[in-house]
Amino acid sequence: MRHALKRARTCLGLALAAAGLLTGTTGCTGDGGSGGGSGGEKGGGLALPLPGRAKAPGDVIRISPVDGAKGVPADGPVEIAIDGGRLERVSVVQIEDARPARLEGTISEDGLRWRPAAGARLALAAKYSVDVVALDEDGRRSARHTTFATVVPEKRFIGYFKPENRSTVGTGMIVSFGFNRPIEDRAAVERAIRITSDPPVEVVGHWFGKERLDFRPREYWQPGTEVSVELALRDVEGAPGVYGIQRKTVGFTVGRSQVSLVDAAEHTMEVRRDGEVLATLPITAGAPKTTTYNGKMVVTEMYDVTRMDGRTVGFGGEYDIKDVPHAVRLTNSGTFLHGNYWASEDTFGNANVSHGCVGLEDEKGGSSDSPAGWFFDRTLIGDVVEVVNSRDRKVAPDNGLGGWNMDWNSWKTGSALR
């Protein structure tokens, strides 16, 4: 196995050198409700820390409104605070809308507090993400990512959607709507959402319960496809006496194809770009008692540093690391593909030790020259990561954007129009 690991690393080095790929920068942030998972379902975790390693800094970041808050008024309040150290980065952005907009604000001179600029107000019927990175007195980073939604006028419904307008995404992107109220007339709502593409393909909706509607084609999108999403929900009666308020058209572009195959038994990940192998990276997957899901998973979020807390995914206090680098979210329940600086070097390509995530070798603080940094810098929202040969079940179709794990006929039966 050690010989296989050395061979995998040699192949990686040759592939990177030949392609001239040892470059790149880091991206954005995440945390608690985000890092490590947002539900009690297993499948999100990280490799166990090694004895003797320094613990991450304490959880020092306080955010208002709380993560997942709904019905927040236009005047908030929105505030980020810490007790010591200083705030390094704060971003409050309206997301899942036709025109994402940043809420302007400033960090206080002492670095302990962020507040919106004078006169700045939140948009109604909007969803916001909050991303914060703080430094403690010793210069160690701690990250948090939260979301909240503002108040929707009474007797109205709205659909928050992915991907972002005008974004460039991977070929596995699924258009996903989450509604703020249960939809009773699902056919009327589905009929009011029209998705077209150039080149044209058939795109079909599938309902997961009464508050989520996903759309996908039969196969992955063709690279270069232009997709248009037309929402004609205004005055559509989604439930008795409850009407839509959206009338807009948004769109996105499908970029190059990148599909990565994680073999949990072989401890490798083969990265293919437009059908050609870019590299084979040594990985660590879920340990025997906390295995990684099998199946096709789609990248939905990316953070250059994030917090992963075992308590958010049913692992109690087994781990809580505030500065996990190069984290790529694969499921809602907390499965990430992320950098790992705490496991020994010979873990990667040789053993599965995580709580369900897929780990790539990295450095503390994140290095763009590490396997994790290399992969992060070449990944798009909408790229596909498929796990095989894990001793676990297949990921559920509604866990993240897992709809590619359903065959086409099964997918179509979830449409309210068929």
Side-chain angles (χ1 to χ4, degrees), residues 121 159 181:
R121 290 173 63 84
R181 290 188 171 92

Side-chain angles (χ1 to χ4, degrees), residues 115-134:
R115 289 193 176 106
R121 290 173 63 84
L122 300 168
L124 295 180
K127 187 173 183 179
Y128 284 84
S129 69
V130 181
D131 292 289
V132 184
V133 177

Side-chain angles (χ1 to χ4, degrees), residues 402-418:
W404 296 110
N405 295 292
M406 298 181 71
D407 64 66
W408 187 235
N409 288 334
S410 298
W411 180 265
K412 292 193 294 184
T413 62
S415 170
L417 303 181
R418 293 173 185 263

Side-chain angles (χ1 to χ4, degrees), residues 71-96:
V72 176
D75 56 357
V78 179
E79 183 175 84
I80 293 94
I82 55 176
D83 293 327
R86 65 181 177 86
L87 292 170
E88 182 182 54
R89 284 185 267 162
V90 176
S91 175
V92 182
V93 179
Q94 182 182 346
I95 59 174
E96 299 183 16

Side-chain angles (χ1 to χ4, degrees), residues 32-33 36-37 51 83 97 111 129 131 154 163 208 216 257 266 269 275 321 351 380:
D83 293 327
D97 190 73
S129 69
D131 292 289
E154 189 176 1
F208 296 104
R216 51 157 274 209
S257 169
E266 293 295 326
M269 179 173 71
I321 298 181
L380 292 174

Side-chain angles (χ1 to χ4, degrees), residues 45-352:
L46 59 165
L48 293 169
L50 296 178
R53 295 294 181 99
K55 293 183 179 180
D59 184 15
V60 298
I61 304 170
R62 300 189 304 279
I63 298 176
S64 179
V66 298
D67 188 27
K70 297 180 180 180
V72 176
D75 56 357
V78 179
E79 183 175 84
I80 293 94
I82 55 176
D83 293 327
R86 65 181 177 86
L87 292 170
E88 182 182 54
R89 284 185 267 162
V90 176
S91 175
V92 182
V93 179
Q94 182 182 346
I95 59 174
E96 299 183 16
D97 190 73
R99 287 180 289 276
R102 183 179 300 274
L103 182 68
E104 298 298 332
T106 56
I107 297 174
S108 59
E109 290 187 7
D110 60 10
L112 299 178
R113 194 173 306 275
W114 180 96
R115 289 193 176 106
R121 290 173 63 84
L122 300 168
L124 295 180
K127 187 173 183 179
Y128 284 84
S129 69
V130 181
D131 292 289
V132 184
V133 177
L135 296 175
D136 69 9
E137 290 85 350
D138 297 319
R140 296 176 299 180
R141 284 181 171 83
S142 184
R144 286 206 69 193
H145 167 84
T146 64
T147 62
F148 66 88
T150 56
V151 66
V152 177
E154 189 176 1
K155 299 296 183 181
R156 294 285 182 171
F157 75 87
I158 187 170
Y160 304 109
F161 55 86
K162 295 182 177 72
E164 297 291 348
N165 186 36
R166 299 180 180 176
S167 58
T168 298
V169 301
T171 54
M173 191 69 219
I174 291 175
V175 182
S176 183
F177 286 84
F179 298 98
N180 70 308
R181 290 188 171 92
I183 302 299
E184 299 296 338
D185 193 343
R186 290 184 288 180
V189 170
E190 186 176 343
R191 192 177 296 111
I193 300 174
R194 183 169 178 260
I195 299 180
T196 56
S197 67
D198 182 16
V201 292
E202 181 185 16
V203 181
V204 176
H206 184 101
W207 287 89
F208 296 104
K210 295 183 177 181
E211 297 182 14
R212 176 173 167 182
L213 172 61
D214 287 6
F215 290 87
R216 51 157 274 209
R218 178 192 292 264
E219 308 290 346
Y220 298 149
W221 302 97
Q222 179 179 322
T225 298
E226 298 288 340
V227 182
S228 177
V229 183
E230 181 181 351
L231 287 76
L233 292 171
R234 183 175 296 169
D235 298 328
V236 172
E237 190 173 17
V242 180
Y243 298 87
I245 61 176
Q246 293 163 295
R247 185 182 297 277
K248 62 185 70 173
T249 299
V250 298
F252 60 91
T253 301
V254 180
R256 80 293 176 275
S257 169
Q258 182 167 297
V259 178
S260 301
L261 183 67
V262 173
D263 190 321
E266 293 295 326
H267 317 296
T268 60
M269 179 173 71
E270 181 186 82
V271 183
R272 284 185 175 268
R273 174 76 62 84
D274 296 321
E276 300 294 327
V277 177
L278 284 185
T280 300
L281 309 176
I283 62 96
T284 182
K289 293 184 178 180
T290 53
T291 47
T292 304
Y293 289 127
N294 284 295
K296 299 172 182 176
M297 296 170 247
V298 175
V299 174
T300 57
E301 296 173 331
M302 297 174 62
Y303 306 114
D304 70 341
V305 57
T306 193
R307 177 188 179 191
M308 290 189 176
D309 184 351
R311 291 169 296 183
T312 66
V313 286
F315 287 121
E318 292 184 31
Y319 63 84
D320 185 4
I321 298 181
K322 279 82 172 178
D323 60 347
V324 177
H326 295 131
V328 175
R329 178 182 281 278
L330 301 178
T331 70
N332 290 343
S333 65
T335 309
F336 276 76
L337 195 162
H338 62 77
N340 179 323
Y341 63 81
W342 50 89
S344 60
E345 182 179 350
D346 60 0
T347 299
F348 305 95
N350 189 42
N352 289 332

